[in-house]
Amino acid sequence: MAQQPDNTPLAITMGEPSGVGPELIARLWQERNTLSLKPFVYVGSIDALKAVVPDIAVQTLDNCGDAATIFQKAIPVLEIPTSDPITLGTPSPANGAAVIQTIDAAVKQAQEDNVSAVVTAPIHKAALYNVGFDAPGHTEYLARLCGQADDSSIMMLTAKNLRVVPVTIHIALA
């Protein structure tokens, strides 16, 4: 991938549509000026955003390059609709395919240099297994989309002044 100019947006996937992802993304956009955020494109269901903030401003995109100009007035959206209505706190296995499609679409945008990075919101793996998701988690699935083996990727968790890379990932305690 080529070096991206500063105004190239991030892609943020919705994660589980009935989970915390859409709420966090809506809050980030609402605080975009206070936090001095880089423009981002929300990849996911508008219904999931509207379930948490009904009056939030959104604008669908044909091209991620338009995100920087839209970002100040609305959340730029690369829409991946869900098939079931969103009930906050209650994952619907029927929406699992849309969750996977958001990850696929965001990675494709990065591979085509339309976005500078991909940020993923939390997924509900049990809902995804019903539609054929067979990766242990996001990390391994992202590796696969990039043509790499599951064990070639690492997960890093960050906070203000802390970076943590787990020694193991997705290994059950039992």
Side-chain angles (χ1 to χ4, degrees), residues 11-15 41-45 76-78 80 101-103 105-106:
I12 304 180
T13 63
M14 81 176 157
V41 174
Y42 166 74
V43 184
S45 164
V77 177
L78 188 58
I80 309 288
Q101 289 169 1
T102 67
I103 300 166

Side-chain angles (χ1 to χ4, degrees), residues 60-126:
T60 57
L61 297 174
D62 294 323
N63 177 342
C64 287
D66 298 332
T69 57
I70 294 167
F71 191 70
Q72 282 309 310
K73 63 181 180 194
I75 298 179
V77 177
L78 188 58
E79 186 169 24
I80 309 288
T82 50
S83 56
D84 264 8
I86 308 300
T87 304
L88 296 178
T90 306
S92 168
N95 288 333
V99 174
I100 294 168
Q101 289 169 1
T102 67
I103 300 166
D104 293 348
V107 169
K108 182 179 180 198
Q109 291 299 308
Q111 290 171 328
E112 293 176 354
D113 291 331
N114 297 324
V115 298
S116 58
V118 174
V119 178
T120 59
I123 58 175
H124 186 271
K125 288 183 280 187

Side-chain angles (χ1 to χ4, degrees), residues 152-174:
S152 68
S153 60
I154 27 178
M155 178 189 323
M156 180 169 47
L157 309 167
T158 67
K160 286 184 181 181
N161 295 314
L162 178 67
R163 310 279 183 281
V164 176
V165 175
V167 175
T168 62
I169 55 173
H170 303 112
I171 297 174
L173 294 175

Side-chain angles (χ1 to χ4, degrees), residues 20-87:
V20 71
E23 178 182 353
L24 291 173
I25 294 162
R27 276 202 202 140
L28 281 172
W29 183 78
Q30 290 171 326
E31 297 294 323
R32 65 195 175 284
N33 295 323
T34 304
L35 298 171
S36 300
L37 291 182
K38 176 180 177 90
F40 63 78
V41 174
Y42 166 74
V43 184
S45 164
I46 290 175
D47 290 343
L49 282 176
K50 297 277 186 178
V52 291
V53 183
D55 61 346
I56 197 154
V58 297
Q59 185 173 335
T60 57
L61 297 174
D62 294 323
N63 177 342
C64 287
D66 298 332
T69 57
I70 294 167
F71 191 70
Q72 282 309 310
K73 63 181 180 194
I75 298 179
V77 177
L78 188 58
E79 186 169 24
I80 309 288
T82 50
S83 56
D84 264 8
I86 308 300
T87 304

